[in-house]
Amino acid sequence: MNGCHVTIDHVSKAFGDFSALDEVSISIQPGEFFSLLGPSGCGKTTLLRIIAGFEYPDNGAVLFDEKNVISLPANKRSSNTVFQTYALFPHLSVYENVAFPLRLKKMSSAAIDERVRHYVHLVQLDQHQDKKPNQLSGGQKQRVAIARALINEPKVLLLDEPLSALDAKLRANLLIDLDNLHDKIGITFIYVTHDQSEALSVSDRIAVMNQGHVLQIGTPFEIYESPATQFVAQFIGETNLFEAQVADCVPHQAPGHDPDYLVTLTVPTLGHQAPLASDTAAEASLDRYMQVTDYEATRKGQSVMFTIRPEKIRITKEPPETGGRTDINVFSGIVEEPVYSGFQSKFYVRLDTGTIIKVFKQHTNYLDNGPSIQWKDRVYVSWAANDGYIVEDIER
């Protein structure tokens, strides 16, 4: 089985006055595990249904290996869909549920048996093939649905929030199984989810969507570390966001880093100027820190949003040692709320300016007497300029 190249070309879809998709274009590589990620109502399921053939776009095209499939019904496309609600036949066994698509094709019993046993084994249900759906757990039912979707050997498997009905631990386990299954069969997976941790865990690339638009396409690393917009920064994981103005931008080289630029931002809510590094050369773009195409686009007085992830911030009771470096941000405040969650603690620190900032501290060692930082402790929070990130301009 081999996956095919799926191209979504300027697809738009409206339901009455509501625009579900607005000129969406995505190129998905053969064999890729590609996720459509976004909140409810962002258009991701509508796009999946258009790819599957259950909906038709108002404009645009969907191509499988350069062939436009918009005019083809769902059963004539090289794709199958796994739904959130299993859609199994309750009166049929696991074996017969998986065999059903092949019986419609009137294949020989021997051919059906060989293929069914192969796919039942692939989803690890060999010991359950004679059971009815009501004798299975939620995770086992979803495995049956996946096996039935694969039995026709499609080039594209479409998965519409297939794990959302399962409990958290089962969802995590089945997600790993799904990723392993993708590695074994090598076809193109297009996975719809609103859960950013799911998408980050298994995807080769992710398209973050909101209000019918694709805001950013990239690897999990790129989406998390280099968000293109304020929405992406907030939707993927947790972060701290601040409005700021560019005060200065000068050549700079931090220890252990290539030559770059140190962008100094005036951040009213933090109370003073905060440095933010850019890893670009003089003639190159500043696209690691903002979505611009040339260096001149970063100018004094420019209004921007910048983000710093909570896990990149250090929290200490004593002033941090900066070693004379000018690219370290240091602020002081009071722990407003400590939240212990086993492997880490979350601290909500009220800075001296009154701004609340979130800090995550990983517990890498055994704690004899609990976390060393407690409620109402005076603390210092600090981070290197390279850990801050400008996500977008603010148009005034």
Side-chain angles (χ1 to χ4, degrees):
M1 240 191 294
N2 295 309
C4 71
H5 183 196
V6 178
T7 305
I8 295 100
D9 185 17
H10 294 88
V11 167
S12 296
K13 178 68 176 181
F15 298 96
D17 294 332
F18 175 69
S19 177
L21 296 169
D22 185 9
E23 295 283 315
V24 171
S25 293
I26 303 172
S27 178
I28 302 170
Q29 299 304 311
E32 191 169 26
F33 197 128
F34 192 94
S35 290
L36 303 173
L37 173 66
S40 297
C42 73
K44 58 188 185 296
T45 294
T46 299
L47 181 56
L48 193 82
R49 290 177 61 82
I50 288 172
I51 297 170
F54 302 134
E55 297 279 356
Y56 292 92
D58 299 328
N59 298 293
V62 174
L63 295 87
F64 285 10
D65 286 338
E66 311 305 323
K67 178 183 178 182
N68 192 349
V69 297
I70 285 297
S71 62
L72 298 178
N75 64 337
K76 298 296 184 181
R77 302 187 184 189
S78 302
S79 63
N80 268 348
T81 306
V82 177
F83 300 98
Q84 177 181 340
T85 53
Y86 316 136
L88 303 179
F89 298 110
H91 62 291
L92 296 181
S93 66
V94 168
Y95 183 99
E96 288 300 330
N97 264 283
V98 176
F100 184 79
L102 302 185
R103 297 204 186 283
L104 289 179
K105 292 182 175 181
K106 302 188 183 302
M107 291 179 63
S108 69
S109 296
I112 290 174
D113 185 67
E114 181 182 1
R115 197 181 291 185
V116 170
R117 291 185 185 280
H118 171 70
Y119 284 102
V120 167
H121 176 72
L122 203 60
V123 296
Q124 303 171 43
L125 288 175
D126 308 70
Q127 306 302 315
H128 305 280
Q129 63 179 9
D130 295 324
K131 293 181 179 179
K132 299 289 179 62
N134 65 0
Q135 297 174 291
L136 303 175
S137 68
Q140 289 169 337
K141 290 177 185 176
Q142 197 57 281
R143 291 171 192 268
V144 178
I146 291 168
R148 188 176 61 183
L150 292 173
I151 198 86
N152 278 327
E153 300 190 340
K155 292 186 175 181
V156 182
L157 185 65
L158 307 170
L159 302 112
D160 188 9
E161 305 220 35
L163 310 182
S164 60
L166 307 177
D167 66 68
K169 185 167 288 189
L170 184 57
R171 189 162 62 241
N173 291 336
L174 192 52
L175 189 66
I176 298 301
D177 291 341
L178 193 60
D179 192 27
N180 290 335
L181 182 64
H182 170 258
D183 293 339
K184 288 178 182 176
I185 62 178
I187 66 172
T188 306
F189 276 29
I190 304 178
Y191 186 86
V192 161
T193 182
H194 65 275
D195 188 319
Q196 48 93 11
S197 63
E198 285 185 8
L200 290 173
S201 297
V202 297
S203 306
D204 294 316
R205 287 190 303 148
I206 301 168
V208 182
M209 299 181 65
N210 192 37
Q211 297 181 342
H213 296 272
V214 174
L215 303 183
Q216 186 174 1
I217 298 173
T219 65
F221 178 84
E222 291 166 344
I223 294 289
Y224 186 83
E225 296 288 348
S226 310
T229 69
Q230 179 179 344
F231 177 86
V232 175
Q234 289 178 302
F235 189 75
I236 306 296
E238 297 187 55
T239 197
N240 298 284
L241 275 164
F242 302 97
E243 290 190 17
Q245 282 191 324
V246 176
D248 202 3
C249 183
V250 296
H252 170 76
Q253 183 166 8
H257 290 80
D258 294 332
D260 56 23
Y261 284 86
L262 190 65
V263 179
T264 303
L265 302 176
T266 299
V267 189
T269 55
L270 295 181
H272 67 75
Q273 293 182 340
L276 181 77
S278 167
D279 63 353
T280 53
E283 293 82 14
S285 72
L286 287 175
D287 58 3
R288 180 180 169 191
Y289 288 96
M290 57 195 313
Q291 301 305 303
V292 297
T293 56
D294 58 26
Y295 175 75
E296 296 300 326
T298 301
R299 61 193 182 277
K300 287 187 179 182
Q302 183 178 7
S303 296
V304 297
M305 292 291 298
F306 93 94
T307 179
I308 176 71
R309 297 285 187 186
E311 71 274 11
K312 298 184 186 299
I313 302 174
R314 189 177 176 217
I315 182 169
T316 57
K317 286 186 176 181
E318 302 297 328
E321 295 288 340
T322 62
R325 289 175 58 180
T326 59
D327 60 342
I328 302 294
N329 296 281
V330 182
F331 302 91
S332 61
I334 300 293
V335 176
E336 189 91 347
E337 187 69 39
V339 180
Y340 176 79
S341 54
F343 69 98
Q344 70 176 8
S345 287
K346 296 184 182 182
F347 298 100
Y348 295 82
V349 178
R350 184 176 295 278
L351 302 182
D352 294 339
T353 59
T355 298
I356 297 287
I357 192 167
K358 287 182 289 187
V359 184
F360 295 169
K361 184 176 183 181
Q362 196 84 5
H363 299 151
T364 56
N365 300 310
Y366 175 73
L367 303 175
D368 286 320
N369 300 306
S372 59
I373 296 174
Q374 305 289 338
W375 179 56
K376 294 301 182 183
D377 280 349
R378 171 156 284 278
V379 294
Y380 294 86
V381 296
S382 59
W383 66 88
N386 278 322
D387 291 326
Y389 195 92
I390 294 176
V391 291
E392 61 183 335
D393 297 328
I394 302 174
E395 296 183 4
R396 300 296 190 188

